């Protein structure tokens, strides 16, 4: 057993969005809308603040980094229930 807590997607998204809102790099509207697990790593997805042409904006990097932060920290503690 890996020692990780088994958690539902819904509950994990609640935790992830609390972490996002409490983080110093939070941007209004930044939130995780979905999560999946790939080879033990939690992958978070949500709004990436792309422009009208679908190209990255200055906020896109911040969102990408936040989702990477969540994956790095929450993957150590949680695994999704099947």
């Amino acid at each position: 057993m890996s020692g990780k807590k088994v958690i539902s997607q819904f509950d994990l998204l609640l935790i992830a969005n609390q972490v996002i809102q409490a983080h110093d790099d939070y941007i209004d509207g930044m939130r995780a809308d979905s999560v999946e697990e790939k080879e033990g790593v939690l992958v978070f997805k949500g709004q990436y603040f792309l422009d009208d042409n679908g190209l990255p904006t200055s906020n896109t990097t911040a969102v990408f980094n936040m989702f990477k932060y969540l994956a790095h920290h929450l993957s150590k503690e949680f695994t999704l229930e099947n």
Side-chain angles (χ1 to χ4, degrees):
M1 184 84 189
S2 67
K4 294 182 181 183
K5 297 175 192 165
V6 178
I7 191 168
S8 70
Q9 288 182 346
F10 178 83
D11 288 338
L12 183 56
L13 287 171
L14 287 176
I15 292 168
N17 284 309
Q18 288 175 344
V19 170
I20 289 170
Q21 289 183 0
H23 197 279
D24 289 342
D25 294 332
Y26 172 75
I27 297 169
D28 190 39
M30 184 187 288
R31 63 178 282 110
D33 296 327
S34 67
V35 61
E36 59 187 71
E37 191 168 2
K38 294 186 179 183
E39 299 182 20
V41 176
L42 298 168
V43 179
F44 294 89
K45 296 180 183 178
Q47 169 63 258
Y48 277 95
F49 297 97
L50 302 176
D51 69 12
D52 292 337
N53 296 317
L55 298 173
T57 65
S58 59
N59 290 340
T60 303
T61 301
V63 174
F64 176 81
N65 287 337
M66 183 65 72
F67 290 164
K68 185 172 119 181
Y69 172 83
L70 291 174
H72 181 73
H73 290 282
L74 297 179
S75 292
K76 295 176 187 175
E77 187 174 350
F78 298 104
T79 187
L80 290 176
E81 67 184 12
N82 292 330

